[in-house]
DNA sequence: AGCGCATTACGTACGCTGTACGTAACTAGG
DNA sequence: CCTAGTTACGTACAGCGTACGTAATGCGCT
């Protein structure tokens, strides 16, 4: 059976091995590890079926014995790095624990900068996603609320972390990839933005840029965002 | 000058016309409209340089006179549908206005289901993005806080809306694209999830699935999410 | 024990993508 | 008027996901 683009079955539901036929040369973990290695070193765009196969030392089409679609390779990658989540004994203070979870997720994303881009299509419950979710629920044992609310909390926190770190990484990547200096790019943007503001059509934007806010501390912005999300769920505040 | 993949210049900073040479046959608006039409009718994947050129009735490479990179086409598309935002006179109640903004953005995204996928790399200040931002700031005139905080509020609200509607759309799309019935797919997933839970490794997940929560009302989940975000910023609560 | 067949491995090929490059037609500025 | 810069666009290339066909392999069953 070769790859099937028309089979939307969840990959975690299909057994890794059915018993019949030659022993597979690789495991899903091998494949995931190879893909993660490539993504870490050469970026997500370098993760093609050909490159992953080359990294493993097998033919391109052999991969389709393990994965029906490339999309599933992404699923494997996300699950693989999910194993790096450190799961501790809940402290009893759900706020502190959830903050720690969020910061850990951010660290994970900074270590694997391609991760935010693959987080949107979270739809299968991969093994490590289950472990992670169970851990979050454990941390929320001290939270007064239904499981429904707890899920909503975890979902929003994850969403905010993904969005923020995704922006953070995209900004850094853009600065890194510039063929000319960052100052040159900044000046072009400032010039354009200044011209727009100078039309007088955006008085509040103009005022905002007059406001002296000092240097932007991304870490602090992130922390504030987390606190606000938790505030929104906190029944005691 | 043909397309330049190595020029990260913001497209809004370059003039649409420099004066020399033959009159361009199309405007940026024409191109954006063609791309939006294709995306609306055939999905984001159908938006290729070839298809857009065909829609316009010109040669593929002619597009590169208007856009240095395909990425800029996406920027044009996001800006184009941004014009559909209705901007009203602020009511004086920032909470109500921001809720209305968020719901309007959701409506816009449901009308153009490809929008959430293109929202992540928001980096250029497109004309309509500026108008939208100015409007949000106007709505926040009654909000006690610095412009820095107001930007953070708008950013988080937009992020949450994008994440939620993106998930909503992805779920709907997945259900629509199934080659077999939705029940069949559901049963496969339930079977897998049930087997995992039956191992006893995820007691809280098990409890969560026991909890009778009734049918999930996506609209209500969305509304709750918005309220919580605003609560997190509300100095009066 | 040995047959049958599902499975693995993988080369080839197809249609699609973004875009570099070269050439011809055209028009505004000096 | 001339010429330099711009538009238009055909051709071409490297890369992508993956359908398909064929050969080798080894488990499960009789």
């Amino acid at each position: 059976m070769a790859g099937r683009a028309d089979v939307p079955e969840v990959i975690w539901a299909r057994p890794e091995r059915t018993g019949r036929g030659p022993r597979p040369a690789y495991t899903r973990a091998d494949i995931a590890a190879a893909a993660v290695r490539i993504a870490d070193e050469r970026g997500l765009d370098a993760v093609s079926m050909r490159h992953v196969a080359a990294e493993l030392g097998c033919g391109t089409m052999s991969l389709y014995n393990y994965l029906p679609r490339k999309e599933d390779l992404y699923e494997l990658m996300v699950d693989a790095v999910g194993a790096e989540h450190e799961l501790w004994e809940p402290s009893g203070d759900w706020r502190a624990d959830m903050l720690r979870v969020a910061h850990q997720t951010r660290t994970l994303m900074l270590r694997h900068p391609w991760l935010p881009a693959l987080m949107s299509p979270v739809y299968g419950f991969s093994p490590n996603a289950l472990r992670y979710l169970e851990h979050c629920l454990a941390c929320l044992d001290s939270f007064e609320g239904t499981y429904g609310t707890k899920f909503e909390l975890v979902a929003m926190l994850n969403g905010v972390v993904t969005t923020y770190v995704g922006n953070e990484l995209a900004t850094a990547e853009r600065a890194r990839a510039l063929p000319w200096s960052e100052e040159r790019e900044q000046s072009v943007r400032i010039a354009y933005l200044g011209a727009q503001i100078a039309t007088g059509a955006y008085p509040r934007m103009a005022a905002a840029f007059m406001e002296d806010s000092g240097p932007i501390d991304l870490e602090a912005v992130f922390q504030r965002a987390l606190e606000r999300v938790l505030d929104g769920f906190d029944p005691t505040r």
Side-chain angles (χ1 to χ4, degrees), chain A:
Chain A
M1 180 198 67
R4 298 278 190 71
D6 61 334
V7 176
E9 193 179 338
V10 188
I11 186 154
W12 310 111
R14 52 166 63 188
E16 191 159 355
R17 174 126 174 76
T18 46
R20 207 78 83 93
R23 304 201 146 274
Y26 312 99
T27 64
R28 271 182 201 161
D30 292 334
I31 296 174
V36 167
R37 222 175 307 136
I38 292 173
D40 284 347
E41 291 171 8
R42 292 186 275 157
L44 188 56
D45 286 347
V47 178
S48 70
M49 297 303 267
R50 285 165 169 83
H51 286 162
V52 172
E55 177 84 12
L56 285 169
C58 72
T60 304
M61 293 312 290
S62 303
L63 289 181
Y64 284 93
N65 289 315
Y66 303 88
L67 314 165
R69 292 169 255 98
K70 188 192 177 179
E71 184 188 312
D72 293 305
L73 179 59
Y74 291 147
E75 203 110 4
L76 253 57
M77 291 171 69
V78 173
D79 181 67
V81 299
E84 296 177 26
H85 263 121
E86 180 206 347
L87 311 181
W88 59 87
E89 199 61 36
S91 68
D93 177 354
W94 64 269
R95 249 190 104 105
D97 279 338
M98 291 316 285
L99 278 174
R100 189 171 160 194
V101 165
H103 276 101
Q104 195 184 254
T105 303
R106 175 166 178 268
T107 305
L108 193 65
M109 287 176 170
L110 295 181
R111 183 157 56 234
H112 304 289
W114 43 268
L115 196 47
L118 297 187
M119 287 297 282
S120 347
V122 160
Y123 87 109
F125 286 82
S126 81
N128 281 316
L130 282 174
R131 294 199 320 134
Y132 171 81
L133 242 146
E134 180 71 21
H135 176 246
C136 287
L137 291 180
C139 291
L140 288 172
D141 273 346
S142 54
F143 176 88
E144 295 277 338
T146 63
Y147 276 112
T149 307
K150 292 177 185 182
F151 275 129
E152 289 180 17
L153 199 169
V154 173
M156 181 174 297
L157 208 61
N158 273 330
V160 167
V161 170
T162 302
T163 303
Y164 270 73
V165 182
N167 278 342
E168 189 179 338
L169 285 166
T171 304
E173 171 59 22
R174 225 175 290 124
R176 209 187 53 74
L178 285 180
W180 51 37
S181 79
E182 194 167 350
E183 293 81 31
R184 174 103 171 69
E185 177 81 1
Q186 279 290 356
S187 76
V188 171
R189 302 169 87 89
I190 298 294
Y192 161 72
L193 213 61
Q196 294 304 311
I197 285 179
T199 64
Y202 313 106
R204 290 170 189 83
M205 290 289 290
F209 279 89
M210 288 299 104
E211 188 180 82
D212 185 25
S213 59
I216 298 175
D217 180 353
L218 285 181
E219 184 95 24
V221 172
F222 180 64
Q223 179 69 27
R224 273 200 299 277
L226 298 180
E227 301 275 12
R228 280 163 182 153
V229 169
L230 295 180
D231 279 351
F233 279 91
D234 200 330
T236 73
R237 255 213 47 79

